[in-house]
Amino acid sequence: MRKLLNVVFLASLFAALSSAAHAGKGDRLFQVPKSAPLLQGKTLDLRFAEFAQGIWVRELENCPVPRVDRSEPGSALVIYRGLLETPGRICQVYGAERSGRMTQRAAINCLSNDGGESIELVTVQPRGSDGLLVQEGEKVPVHFRFCRKIIPILQSQKSN
């Protein structure tokens, strides 16, 4: 009888230990920042500063760029309003510092050609009259040279 009680006790103990744990309401809540920490507390815009808009290349002999998406990685960059395109990905601004300064940080949501997505921070800063310094996250800043202005489709139709 004692062995039977021990077996029943051990079985009930094992059953109690192996049962599913239940979390209470709010146990799994976590805090997600609403914006990049560097942009918190600042007035944000949804587009890049005027000085950054255009087609940019690393080497001037690559200008004009026939198609940015088919250029060599790191060789070209297009910024137009709230979009940034590089070979292999296209990004949309979801928060940028207002363009009153000569340096602008922007939080961007990127979609790569292979289907991957990422959220990044990019900093753009003019260099001289026709240069742009671009830093993605913590990477080393890259110097691009101005290639040409982007003419909106509606304006290009009026000129024809």
Side-chain angles (χ1 to χ4, degrees):
M1 181 74 161
R2 186 171 219 169
K3 280 187 175 184
L4 181 60
L5 285 175
N6 283 341
V7 169
V8 170
F9 175 74
L10 289 175
S12 63
L13 181 62
F14 180 72
L17 291 175
S18 64
S19 66
H22 298 284
K25 184 177 179 181
D27 286 351
R28 295 185 185 180
L29 292 179
F30 53 92
Q31 295 289 331
V32 176
K34 293 184 170 97
S35 68
L38 291 173
L39 298 176
Q40 286 180 348
K42 298 186 179 182
T43 304
L44 301 179
D45 203 348
L46 293 177
R47 62 174 56 188
F48 282 99
E50 192 67 35
F51 68 78
Q53 298 198 27
I55 299 173
W56 303 86
V57 293
R58 293 286 308 269
E59 303 297 331
L60 284 177
E61 61 264 9
N62 294 333
C63 185
V65 177
R67 292 200 44 187
V68 172
D69 61 335
R70 295 195 179 155
S71 299
E72 291 293 318
S75 66
L77 170 75
V78 176
I79 296 176
Y80 184 67
R81 296 187 180 181
L83 297 174
L84 178 144
E85 184 178 3
T86 63
R89 70 186 180 141
I90 188 162
C91 308
Q92 184 174 4
V93 172
Y94 70 87
E97 292 176 330
R98 292 267 171 162
S99 60
R101 300 184 189 137
M102 294 308 286
T103 299
Q104 183 188 38
R105 287 188 198 94
I108 54 177
N109 183 13
C110 299
L111 179 63
S112 63
N113 289 355
D114 64 7
E117 288 187 65
S118 63
I119 294 177
E120 302 177 18
L121 187 66
V122 65
T123 304
V124 292
Q125 181 178 14
R127 279 288 180 234
S129 60
D130 61 350
L132 185 70
L133 200 59
V134 179
Q135 182 176 10
E136 296 179 32
E138 299 295 320
K139 295 180 183 176
V140 175
V142 178
H143 185 257
F144 287 90
R145 290 166 180 78
F146 184 75
C147 177
R148 66 182 178 144
K149 183 178 175 179
I150 297 174
I151 300 170
I153 292 173
L154 293 176
Q155 287 180 6
S156 66
Q157 293 298 320
K158 290 178 184 177
S159 64
N160 289 336

